[in-house]
Amino acid sequence: MNDKVRCSVSWHADSSLEHYSTIAVYHTILSPSKHSELLSNNNNDKHEDEFTESSDQDELLSTRWSIGLRVAHDSEGPHTSGAMNNDRKNNSKEDLRVESNNPPSIAVSLPSGSAYFLLDDFNHHHQHAVLVNNDDNNNDNDTDNNIGNNNKTKTAGVRYASTHRLLREGHNVNFILERCKNTCAKFHKKGVKIWRSEQLLLNEIESEWIRQFYVQGLALRKYLWKYWEDYIHQLLRYWSLLENRTKQVLDLLRYAAEERCDLSNNDKCNKQRAERKVKQRRKKALASVEEILERSRNNNTMKNYEDVVNLCYDPIIELLEERATMRLLWNKRENDHLYKIMPKDSDYRPLDVPFQFQGRTSLLTQSQQVTTVEEKAISPLDGTTEGLQQIIHDMKYFAKAFVSGQKSDLPKVSFSMITSSVKETITPITKEEKEDNTQCDQQQQQKQQGRDIHNNGKKKKKGKKRKNGNTVGNHSDGANTK
């Protein structure tokens, strides 16, 4: 290998696989002209034969592509974690698995239409890469210029590869959907462990499944949508349920803090039906949090209200911070400058992720829209990075107010977090509701008047006579008079 050889796929060992399982890779290399013809006829079934027929030009181009192999002990496999922990203590280099005394790396070119296999524990102790030789490129040092002018394609053609691996349990879509089903079936339960598992699952299906699908663009959708359609729809539905569940947990913690600050007793409109509902929710929320605290006290781990912050508020805040960071990184990836220099009609530009956050749609700077009606996932929260940061800010103040019990520690009303709840609490009273409230007030006044009359009647009857003429009453001397 020399300086003219570049990595098309960087050095790595495949992860999340069954230990000692075989990895199979098939690849085909196409000339630029054949690749362009295939793209122009991508809706024609005849293009399938062109992948299998290899021309002399394709064979020549295949020598420019090679598979790189190097020794890297315990890159994957059953001993990976322990080995990497030991290396971190003794080695600060980026690649902990490659040692200086290992055999030199090798590169092997394979004809177009070849398949190769990594057997047994080969993936455990080796890393592999895909290398391309651009020795005809006169502007090797100008990476952006190379990409923009598509020089790599002109000199080395285009390589397509299909990798076949055996994933460990938990790394397939049916397993993740089963987890979603079981998790959503437990929404009636309350507890920190349950909340944490829900938030981790939400992060996983968003980052590792939904966004991974849409970032690959329209090309993947055209060829694989028939297989993935039902799975994607299910994942989007569970994402919506988990986002709504997140809103419920945040509301519970907010209501509990407000009740601790005795906010309900200061409401000016307690007679309004919506406000009475909120007051009840606050009491129930505080009771739920106190119940969680009591369970922890029984385990001798929690002692007072300050521990509620560590038990309930801090874990949720931490998971929200992870989600905000995850979405920020995905936003950067989806708007990478490499996508911007692609043609606007390219099938490899990211598609919009069909998330709708509190009236906002998850939009990319330069992307394509999906058109399927079922492809829609709605969240009651402001899920943008800025919106999540505001929610995190407010939750920290609610945690502080829960401990102090002081209304001054509560945050100002955060519309980013409680929009749907605000609609319930401050929706203008309709004419019918006003009449109901007026009628309710009149009934309460009538009942009170009836109680007053009844009590006055009891007072007047205290001195009534008995049939024998004796009176019953309290006299100063404490005796009865005959």
Side-chain angles (χ1 to χ4, degrees), residues 15-18 21 165-173 209:
S15 60
S16 304
L17 307 182
E18 286 288 351
S21 61
R165 295 165 287 199
L166 179 60
L167 294 174
R168 291 200 299 267
E169 185 180 14
H171 295 273
N172 62 73
V173 67
W209 293 93

Side-chain angles (χ1 to χ4, degrees), residues 461-475:
K461 292 180 181 179
K462 281 188 176 180
K464 70 179 180 178
K465 292 184 178 181
R466 291 179 177 174
K467 291 182 179 181
N468 57 7
N470 295 336
T471 59
V472 179
N474 292 330
H475 298 271

Side-chain angles (χ1 to χ4, degrees), residues 324 358 360 381-394 414 416-417:
Q358 194 188 338
R360 302 184 183 184
L381 299 170
D382 185 350
T384 62
T385 302
E386 297 79 8
L388 284 177
Q389 291 296 343
Q390 182 62 49
I391 294 174
I392 292 166
H393 172 271
D394 292 343
S414 172
S416 63
M417 188 181 82

Side-chain angles (χ1 to χ4, degrees), residues 87-126:
D87 277 350
R88 285 192 180 98
K89 296 177 181 178
N90 305 318
N91 195 338
S92 60
K93 293 183 179 180
E94 180 180 356
D95 192 346
L96 303 174
R97 312 278 16 106
V98 181
E99 301 174 3
S100 58
N101 59 349
N102 282 343
S105 304
I106 62 172
V108 179
S109 294
L110 298 174
S112 178
S114 297
Y116 59 93
F117 302 85
L118 309 180
L119 304 176
D120 197 51
D121 65 348
F122 189 92
N123 186 62
H124 297 176
H125 304 296
H126 297 80

Side-chain angles (χ1 to χ4, degrees), residues 38 65 180 190 196 234 244 278 322 326 339 382 408 478:
L38 287 173
W65 295 86
C180 291
K190 297 182 179 68
R196 179 175 176 80
Q234 290 186 65
N244 278 279
V278 172
E322 290 180 7
M326 177 265 289
Y339 294 126
D382 185 350
S408 58

Side-chain angles (χ1 to χ4, degrees), residues 12-13 69-73 75 121-128:
H12 69 284
L69 301 170
R70 69 182 184 184
V71 176
H73 294 291
S75 292
D121 65 348
F122 189 92
N123 186 62
H124 297 176
H125 304 296
H126 297 80
Q127 293 179 346
H128 53 280

